Amino acid sequence: EHKQGLFVPPSVIEINDLARLKDEVFGPIVHLVRFSGNRLDAVIDAVNATGYGLTLGVHTRIDAVARYISSRVRAGNVYVNRNIIGAVVGVQPFGGLGLSGTGPKAGGPYYLHRFATEQTVTINTAAVGGNASLLTLD
């Protein structure tokens, strides 16, 4: 039915509950959910419950609100009062959390460290029974 693809123009779609989104949706689509300011914790909990965490955009004039949301939400990127696309390679690591990825995919000062896995190996040489020659056996 969609042999040539499915093309959607830039759209804003208002939904009444974040739980209606069952999967990540990419494209020129913004989902809008209206909520009362006294329900902020419930909204953050709903966002975190989705399991996805690529990017969150916050628009507020209250610094304490931006800090609070940033500290509670599980997202790889939180943009405050700015465009939510266009991470700067080499400056801002870009990558999601949970079902949206495993961390930064491009850039950031600790990018290489994200690929390393630390391992410690400790050997009890006394466990060979005091026979040091056993340590050289393959």
Side-chain angles (χ1 to χ4, degrees):
E1 185 176 319
H2 301 290
K3 291 179 183 175
Q4 300 299 316
L6 179 61
F7 303 96
V8 178
S11 304
V12 175
I13 301 171
E14 185 170 359
I15 57 177
N16 59 359
D17 186 357
L18 188 59
R20 290 193 57 202
L21 297 176
K22 302 298 182 195
D23 296 302
E24 250 177 336
V25 179
F26 289 98
I29 299 171
V30 172
H31 289 95
L32 173 69
V33 180
R34 296 175 193 258
F35 66 93
S36 174
N38 63 358
R39 293 196 60 242
L40 182 58
D41 284 319
V43 171
I44 294 170
D45 291 341
V47 168
N48 289 340
T50 66
Y52 295 98
L54 185 60
T55 298
L56 180 80
V58 178
H59 290 273
T60 180
R61 292 183 178 144
I62 304 168
D63 289 341
V65 171
R67 284 191 305 273
Y68 180 74
I69 293 170
S70 298
S71 71
R72 287 215 47 234
V73 76
R74 291 190 298 266
N77 305 283
V78 178
Y79 296 133
V80 179
N81 297 331
R82 59 155 283 182
N83 190 332
I84 63 170
I85 60 171
V88 180
V89 175
V91 177
Q92 297 166 293
F94 180 79
L97 298 177
L99 298 171
S100 295
T102 57
K105 294 172 186 67
Y110 299 105
Y111 182 60
L112 186 59
H113 298 283
R114 299 283 186 146
F115 295 102
T117 302
E118 188 175 341
Q119 180 184 46
T120 301
V121 177
T122 304
I123 300 173
N124 180 354
T125 56
V128 296
N131 186 346
S133 66
L134 293 175
L135 291 174
T136 61
L137 297 177
D138 286 331

